[in-house]
Amino acid sequence: AQSVTQLGSHVSVSEGALVLLRCNYSSSVPPYLFWYVQYPNQGLQLLLKYTSAATLVKGINGFEAEFKKSETSFHLTKPSAHMSDAAEYFCAVSVASPGSARQLTFGSGTQLTVLP
Amino acid sequence: DVKVTQSSRYLVKRTGEKVFLECVQDMDHENMFWYRQDPGLGLRLIYFSYDVKMKEKGDIPEGYSVSREKKERFSLILESASTNQTSMYLCASGTATNEKLFFGSGTQLSVL
């Protein structure tokens, strides 16, 4: 079974500072990895995904993540935080199951606060 | 614009009531999912469906059932609501490969 661990349930950064949200995964087979963002009172939307192509993945709103197999990590970064980045971020992993659909397993989430 | 619509944004029910949460998608997706979201626990999969009339249990199916009679509609049923089912419920849909899920905006259910 796959699992995801997000380090830090709350992260605060100053506007203009680097954003780093950490995600480690566990999977016995090659995974797909995702970052989703949830703004207040909304559902989740996809930020970026890794599906076994390039290990450095660029997403929307200036975010990117790097798949590091040796470290089983998929950390999310953004060079310069903006006030509008304040939201909850979820890392997720999915693996293929014979005869069934891929299921996404989510981490517990990281609430990002951006300070003026 | 693609859409996953959940029938209610807020719902208040009493213990023991039968509760229906409805979800409709307009993207002709094969797969549909029900998650519950609780603070500190992230999203946990309750049930999913990869075809009409097909369903599979997720990680926390106890106390829930689902129905998928039409491709676009996936219903979550709480047969006898309990207070520990107070939560935010999120519906999602995706293509066969699930490379991207589309989420509804959620139903906040309170069971009193």
Side-chain angles (χ1 to χ4, degrees):
Chain A
Q2 67 271 20
S3 66
V4 170
T5 302
Q6 290 184 240
L7 298 173
S9 58
H10 291 84
V11 170
S12 294
V13 299
S14 298
E15 192 173 18
L18 171 72
V19 175
L20 170 61
L21 304 182
R22 299 178 187 274
C23 172
N24 288 89
Y25 70 91
S26 171
S27 173
S28 57
V29 297
Y32 287 2
L33 293 160
F34 307 82
W35 276 99
Y36 281 82
V37 61
Q38 185 179 34
Y39 298 103
N41 298 315
Q42 294 185 26
L44 280 69
Q45 56 181 282
L46 183 67
L47 264 183
L48 50 79
K49 63 183 179 183
Y50 165 78
T51 56
S52 74
T55 56
L56 181 61
V57 180
K58 294 186 185 299
I60 61 172
N61 301 337
F63 284 93
E64 63 181 40
E66 187 172 8
F67 172 67
K68 291 187 176 180
K69 185 178 178 180
S70 60
E71 299 177 9
T72 60
S73 69
F74 191 59
H75 301 330
L76 182 71
T77 60
K78 182 174 180 177
S80 176
H82 191 272
M83 297 297 289
S84 61
D85 295 327
E88 189 155 23
Y89 292 79
F90 292 92
C91 183
V93 61
S94 81
V95 296
S97 299
S100 181
R102 282 179 171 267
Q103 304 172 44
L104 262 67
T105 300
F106 286 85
S108 54
T110 297
Q111 182 67 48
L112 176 66
T113 300
V114 182
L115 305 170
Chain B
D1 203 15
V2 298
K3 223 173 197 180
V4 178
T5 304
Q6 294 185 230
S7 53
S8 304
R9 183 74 181 94
Y10 297 97
L11 211 52
V12 180
K13 296 292 182 181
R14 296 220 174 265
T15 302
E17 280 193 77
K18 190 169 186 176
V19 181
F20 292 86
L21 302 183
E22 306 286 346
C23 175
V24 178
Q25 51 103 355
D26 65 0
M27 295 163 281
D28 201 36
H29 284 160
E30 290 84 359
N31 299 329
M32 296 189 74
F33 304 82
W34 276 106
Y35 291 89
R36 63 177 282 177
Q37 181 180 12
D38 300 287
L41 297 178
L43 278 73
R44 292 179 291 167
L45 181 63
I46 305 170
Y47 267 97
F48 67 101
S49 167
Y50 53 89
D51 201 352
V52 175
K53 297 191 187 294
M54 303 301 289
K55 60 185 179 184
E56 284 200 29
K57 294 179 180 178
D59 299 318
I60 52 164
E62 296 79 18
Y64 303 94
S65 62
V66 291
S67 171
R68 193 163 180 205
E69 296 296 319
K70 293 185 177 181
K71 190 175 186 180
E72 67 270 19
R73 186 178 297 268
F74 192 36
S75 302
L76 180 69
I77 303 155
L78 287 65
E79 294 290 342
S80 177
S82 63
T83 55
N84 62 12
Q85 292 179 310
T86 291
S87 186
M88 170 67 79
Y89 289 88
L90 291 169
C91 174
S93 73
T95 61
T97 58
N98 281 339
E99 288 191 20
K100 180 174 182 178
L101 293 191
F102 293 86
F103 282 83
S105 49
T107 295
Q108 179 63 53
L109 172 67
S110 296
V111 182
L112 307 177

